[in-house]
Amino acid sequence: MCGIVAYVGQREACPIILKGLKRLEYRGYDSAGVALLSEGNLNVFKKKGKVADLEAYIGDRNTSSNIGIGHTRWATHGEPNDVNAHPHYSSSKKIAIIHNGIIENYASLKQHLINKGYEFHSDTDSEVFVNLIEDIQKNNSVSLAEAIRLALHEVVGAYAIVVISHDSPTQLVAARKGSPLVIGVGKGEYFLASDATPIIEYTNEVVYLNDYEIAVIKDGTLDIRTKEDVVQTPYIQKLELELESIEKGGYPHFMLKEIFEQPRSILDSMRGRLVAENTQLTMSSIREYATRFKNAERIIIVACGTSWHAGLVAEYMIEEFARIPVEVEYASEFRYRNPIIREGDIVIAISQSGETADTLAALELAKSKGALIFGVCNVVGSSIARATDAGAYTHAGPEIGVASTKAFTAQVTVLSLIAMMIAEMRGTLELSTLRQLMLEMETIPSKVEQALQLDKEIQAISEIFKDASNFIYLGRGYNFPVALEGALKLKEISYIHAEGYPAAEMKHGPIALIDENMPVVVIATKDSSYEKIVSNVQEVRARKGRVIAIVTEGDTTIPQMAEFVIEVPSTHEALMPLISVIPLQLLSYHIAVMRGCNVDQPRNLAKSVTVE
């Protein structure tokens, strides 16, 4: 959840680290800090709040150094304040650590260290970690790297750490398990970060550290070993990330930029995979396991948050097109309820970051039971991408805004292609029907572009409802997951309470909430359940609810009932979520901005949930 940046080389470290922390602030923004080795002193500067608050705190103090570590925090152990901010000193103040993750057995380790005379100044598990390292180094007379290796055998949990020591002025030591860590390789310099965004400005060559690996960077060399001290050959990869893709590009917020990038990100997620003219679907990872997909008796989708909503859309598609039973599970619940998993099952794990802790744990459980694990994620080299048997990248590009937008539509795009491919292999769709679906799929980017042209109209509606206390979102069939996603977006960034429901369930409870003050967003596009949704709109209006309807262009029925109507282009009902979600993203964005909320960094949230 937190962001890590570190540097060692010939340049000034502090500006590189601070700029990197700003790029990683979407991962955590409760507090921030840096540790720098300068003139024989290990100096730590840290402050509650944003990286800008840290910069102001540092002011004109001397930060000249060629080596340093930095951290932006999303609180797990201990409230957000100056003391709990990272980096953390060891007891002697000769070692400092930055840590992303959670140490589950920190309480017993802390008590052990207290019994040995150690004092603690913060409430964090990370301070326990750094004192454990110091204690091992002192009592075993070993190097810092060896002390860290031994400490890793004692901690239980997830971690990505970088450690700096007063006694080793040219050395950084890093390690990971369950939390991401990337090493950028420059000319005589190295950059470390939680993801590649702080690195791309300086080098496009990176090494993705694997679980249980320790990296020692000293005197311009990189040495990687396992926790068992087995030497590893670093695998250097080329980044395809472009610097401009992680800048705002003239937009006031990353979220708005990413909403408007969706025509391109959807197209990029289809590119090379679909040629409707030849009825050609290409995804080598699916073809490689064609027999397993063709003969699958059940598909289980595991995901969290927005990815879970994309999984619901995929459930409807796969069952309709490929006629395979599908179960969509919250990854956080799946792993703890002793699920029944058979060797013939296929488990699809969906995650934007590819680092979601619960989803990783769920796929590891499924893998241990013999299921085929297929990943759908956005970040090349991420943990899920490396842990799965096969998978597909979404090619959405970097998503910096915490509230996911283009990742959702990219996931639905890739999952749609997967559903079509399985149906083709199983022969459950007529070729003419499949081709028609593919032709319609190719029109989606331009139709999303049309939906984005509704921005001003949606802005006007947002002004009317910006002070509402509650919202209800209703949808049927393929649009039910869209209702859930619309409600999630609104509550995430505007802090308005919002709930999504299947429209037919309204009569089973939620209808009691409807009065003249209740905005009800109804996704009412023309599909197989259109007549039913018309009835639901009438029920809301009869109780004086204020209806905001998302309808298909040319609809003449619902506009007579709804107070506000937003028309979107027509498409096949299975593909409608790719279009009908756009107005809901814009609605949540504009309401949040009008309420003065920080849409890119909503309170209590972080982009990548790498702890349970």
Side-chain angles (χ1 to χ4, degrees):
M1 300 280 263
C2 308
I4 282 174
V5 183
Y7 173 78
V8 58
Q10 301 82 36
R11 311 187 203 209
E12 283 292 326
C14 191
I16 292 170
I17 292 169
L18 289 173
K19 183 182 283 189
L21 290 179
K22 287 178 180 177
R23 290 206 172 125
L24 287 182
E25 208 163 16
Y26 67 90
R27 299 181 66 93
Y29 32 90
D30 294 337
S31 58
V34 297
L36 303 164
L37 260 172
S38 178
E39 298 178 352
N41 297 313
L42 178 57
N43 299 313
V44 169
F45 308 96
K46 54 185 184 176
K47 196 70 179 169
K48 177 184 175 182
K50 304 293 180 66
V51 178
D53 297 309
L54 172 64
E55 281 186 303
Y57 172 69
I58 292 173
D60 58 1
R61 301 187 206 198
N62 180 22
T63 58
S64 181
S65 175
N66 303 122
I67 182 171
I69 59 178
H71 188 271
T72 181
R73 182 173 186 247
W74 187 88
T76 52
H77 285 79
E79 67 178 76
N81 58 30
D82 292 353
V83 174
N84 288 331
H86 294 218
H88 286 285
Y89 276 126
S90 64
S91 183
S92 70
K93 293 194 173 181
K94 288 189 173 183
I95 303 173
I97 193 172
I98 49 178
H99 170 218
N100 178 15
I102 189 165
I103 304 305
E104 295 173 8
N105 62 334
Y106 85 99
S108 60
L109 291 172
K110 185 174 184 177
Q111 189 58 54
H112 171 71
L113 291 167
I114 289 172
N115 293 342
K116 297 181 77 170
Y118 284 82
E119 295 182 359
F120 291 87
H121 307 284
S122 75
D123 301 317
T124 69
D125 53 344
S126 307
E127 190 183 9
V128 175
F129 207 155
V130 72
N131 277 311
L132 175 64
I133 292 167
E134 180 168 89
D135 186 65
I136 290 172
Q137 184 178 22
K138 182 170 62 177
N139 291 318
N140 293 276
S141 300
V142 294
S143 68
L144 177 66
E146 179 63 7
I148 291 170
R149 188 182 74 83
L150 294 172
L152 297 182
H153 285 275
E154 296 193 30
V155 298
V156 177
Y159 53 81
I161 59 169
V162 185
V163 181
I164 190 170
S165 172
H166 169 276
D167 296 333
S168 303
T170 62
Q171 175 179 257
L172 294 175
V173 183
R176 72 154 282 180
K177 175 191 174 256
S179 292
L181 202 56
V182 185
I183 302 171
V185 181
K187 293 181 179 179
E189 60 183 354
Y190 292 89
F191 309 80
L192 296 93
S194 296
D195 65 38
T197 53
I199 293 173
I200 188 60
E201 183 173 346
Y202 309 101
T203 179
N204 67 347
E205 294 190 339
V206 297
V207 175
Y208 291 97
L209 210 59
N210 293 312
D211 276 353
Y212 303 108
E213 286 185 342
I214 304 163
V216 179
I217 301 168
K218 187 173 183 180
D219 298 326
T221 62
L222 172 63
D223 178 76
I224 298 179
R225 297 170 184 259
T226 66
K227 197 170 70 168
E228 283 68 43
D229 207 26
V230 178
V231 176
Q232 304 293 295
T233 302
Y235 174 51
I236 298 176
Q237 300 185 45
K238 294 279 188 183
L239 286 175
E240 296 181 5
L241 186 65
E242 295 179 356
L243 185 60
E244 53 266 31
S245 68
I246 58 173
E247 304 291 351
K248 287 182 183 175
Y251 286 89
H253 299 96
F254 279 110
M255 182 179 178
L256 188 63
K257 173 179 180 259
E258 288 156 6
I259 289 171
F260 275 85
E261 284 177 339
Q262 287 175 107
R264 189 183 72 190
S265 58
I266 291 170
L267 181 62
D268 287 345
S269 295
M270 290 192 291
R271 195 185 306 277
R273 292 169 168 169
L274 180 148
V275 182
E277 186 179 353
N278 303 327
T279 321
Q280 180 182 333
L281 288 161
T282 304
M283 201 176 290
S284 58
S285 51
I286 296 286
R287 297 290 180 202
E288 183 181 353
Y289 290 92
T291 302
R292 291 289 296 270
F293 277 99
K294 186 176 180 179
N295 298 325
E297 295 182 2
R298 180 177 65 157
I299 292 175
I300 303 169
I301 295 174
V302 292
C304 300
T306 287
S307 297
W308 188 80
H309 298 156
L312 284 179
V313 178
E315 175 188 19
Y316 293 5
M317 280 193 189
I318 294 170
E319 289 194 341
E320 180 179 351
F321 299 164
R323 310 308 296 159
I324 301 174
V326 179
E327 297 173 16
V328 184
E329 299 271 3
Y330 285 112
S332 54
E333 289 295 314
F334 180 76
R335 60 179 297 205
Y336 287 116
R337 63 172 183 79
N338 194 21
I340 298 169
I341 306 169
R342 298 182 289 265
E343 287 190 7
D345 290 338
I346 294 172
V347 175
I348 299 177
I350 311 172
S351 167
Q352 187 281 139
S353 66
E355 302 292 348
T356 310
D358 286 318
T359 306
L360 267 167
L363 72 84
E364 292 292 352
L365 171 65
K367 183 184 284 188
S368 71
K369 304 290 186 181
L372 174 70
I373 312 299
F374 191 93
V376 175
C377 60
N378 190 39
V379 180
V380 175
S382 59
S383 296
I384 287 177
R386 287 180 286 166
T388 49
D389 296 308
Y393 287 117
T394 53
H395 301 302
E399 188 178 64
I400 307 299
V402 167
S404 190
T405 52
K406 66 175 180 175
F408 173 77
T409 51
Q411 287 169 351
V412 171
T413 299
V414 169
L415 291 164
S416 301
L417 298 177
I418 290 170
M420 292 180 204
M421 286 191 70
I422 300 172
E424 179 191 40
M425 291 187 293
R426 289 170 61 89
T428 49
L429 274 182
E430 294 286 341
L431 195 62
S432 58
T433 305
L434 178 62
R435 186 167 186 272
Q436 195 57 46
L437 262 173
M438 293 170 64
L439 286 167
E440 191 56 40
M441 190 84 184
E442 287 185 332
T443 70
I444 293 297
S446 63
K447 290 180 177 180
V448 169
E449 191 77 62
Q450 284 180 255
L452 288 167
Q453 292 171 15
L454 300 166
D455 186 47
K456 292 293 184 187
E457 180 183 332
I458 294 166
Q459 200 168 343
I461 295 172
S462 302
E463 181 67 44
I464 295 166
F465 291 102
K466 69 181 189 299
D467 297 319
S469 300
N470 300 281
F471 266 75
I472 289 178
Y473 286 70
L474 301 176
R476 281 178 177 262
Y478 284 100
N479 280 321
F480 164 52
V482 177
L484 294 175
E485 177 62 11
L488 176 61
K489 287 286 100 47
L490 187 69
K491 70 180 84 170
E492 277 183 313
I493 63 171
S494 73
Y495 319 138
I496 295 173
H497 176 252
E499 297 296 335
Y501 286 96
E505 286 296 301
M506 185 180 63
K507 294 188 289 294
H508 296 274
I511 199 168
L513 299 171
I514 295 175
D515 58 19
E516 65 277 6
N517 298 314
M518 176 65 78
V520 182
V521 179
V522 186
I523 302 102
T525 53
K526 286 279 182 74
D527 57 24
S528 55
S529 57
Y530 176 74
E531 298 302 328
K532 300 293 184 184
I533 205 85
V534 168
S535 299
N536 297 135
V537 172
Q538 290 172 325
E539 289 162 357
V540 173
R541 289 298 293 151
R543 288 153 183 86
K544 297 184 167 53
R546 305 191 69 181
V547 176
I548 305 165
I550 313 297
V551 303
T552 306
E553 279 180 333
D555 189 322
T556 57
T557 303
I558 290 180
Q560 297 178 34
M561 309 173 200
E563 188 175 354
F564 302 93
V565 174
I566 300 168
E567 293 191 2
V568 296
S570 174
T571 189
H572 188 287
E573 65 178 290
L575 304 179
M576 183 52 81
L578 291 165
I579 300 171
S580 60
V581 75
I582 303 299
L584 306 188
Q585 294 172 347
L586 290 168
L587 184 71
S588 64
Y589 170 80
H590 288 301
I591 288 176
V593 169
M594 290 171 185
R595 289 168 65 91
C597 301
N598 187 337
V599 296
D600 284 339
Q601 298 171 357
R603 69 187 182 202
N604 302 332
L605 294 177
K607 184 67 178 174
S608 179
V609 184
T610 58
V611 296
E612 292 183 49

